[in-house]
Each structure stands twice: as C-alpha cells, then as structure tokens.
Amino acid sequence: MKNFKISHRTTSGYDILELEGELDAHTASQLEDALRQLINEDKANIIVNCRELDYIASAGLGVFMAYIEDVRGTGGDIKLTNMNEKVYSVFDLLGFPTLYDILEDERDAIEKFSSEA
C-alpha cells in the first residue's frame, strides 16, 4: 500500500489541500478530517490540488460527496485541480465534472473563485 499524505497551505486567501499517494478506504478518513477541520474553522473556499494523487477509490470520492453540500451551504465551494488523466477518468466516469469545478491548475481555481465573488 502506498502512503497517502495531505498538505495544507494558504495562497491568496484560499485554503489549498495537496493530496499525494493513494486515496482509498484506508486513507479516506485523513481527507475527511482535513475537510472537517477547514469547515469547522469557517474556511469555505477550498482548493484540492490532485497533482500528486496517484489513485482514488470510491471511498475517496465519497468524502468529496459528503462535504460538498456543507461547504456550499456556507457560501463556499471545493474546486479540484491538477488531476492526472487516470484520476480524472474516475471522476469523469461517475459524473463529478457536472457537480464540481475540475480545473487545470490552482491559478484557474483562484480566478474562478474571484469571478464568483
């Protein structure tokens, strides 16, 4: 099993979670904890950078589904960026591009947040 790691940083006032490794049933709770912590801190504009995400299973997708309404309920959003083709195909297969903004990179996500303000 590959390791999974989440790094958090702030850029231009936006919270960015960087995912690295494999997001599956064993590691999904880490993403859940990270999103819950941001929501509890009233952080509403969240960018999830998937550049180093190698794999995502249904458990990982379920975490995104579980928290998107909470974030949107506070007037924010979760925007996903920098997906490799393999990870994007999983999101695409399940229709996530109609539910989430999946953007090329963080700069695009920040511009999208700014245009929505």
Side-chain angles (χ1 to χ4, degrees):
M1 179 173 77
K2 280 191 162 183
N3 289 333
F4 179 72
K5 180 180 170 188
I6 301 175
S7 302
H8 173 241
R9 61 184 163 83
T10 303
T11 299
S12 302
Y14 297 96
D15 288 279
I16 298 173
L17 297 177
E18 294 179 313
L19 309 185
E20 179 180 340
E22 296 185 357
L23 180 56
D24 58 19
H26 300 286
T27 59
S29 62
Q30 294 177 49
L31 177 59
E32 187 172 359
D33 291 344
L35 288 171
R36 185 180 311 124
Q37 181 175 347
L38 290 174
I39 292 167
N40 288 343
E41 294 172 357
D42 295 325
K43 309 286 186 169
N45 294 324
I46 301 167
I47 298 169
V48 178
N49 185 324
C50 301
R51 176 176 291 130
E52 301 296 327
L53 184 64
D54 298 323
Y55 171 81
I56 187 164
S58 60
L61 296 167
V63 173
F64 287 111
M65 289 301 296
Y67 286 95
I68 190 66
E69 291 306 319
D70 290 343
V71 172
R72 288 180 177 161
T74 65
D77 199 9
I78 298 173
K79 299 193 186 305
L80 307 167
T81 70
N82 299 86
M83 285 185 190
N84 67 37
E85 190 173 318
K86 180 179 167 186
V87 169
Y88 179 80
S89 69
V90 174
F91 277 90
D92 189 38
L93 182 67
L94 297 175
F96 272 61
T98 61
L99 304 171
Y100 288 84
D101 286 328
I102 300 176
L103 303 157
E104 190 71 25
D105 58 32
E106 290 177 14
R107 184 177 47 228
D108 292 342
I110 290 170
E111 288 175 7
K112 183 94 181 202
F113 272 125
S114 296
S115 70
E116 295 170 348

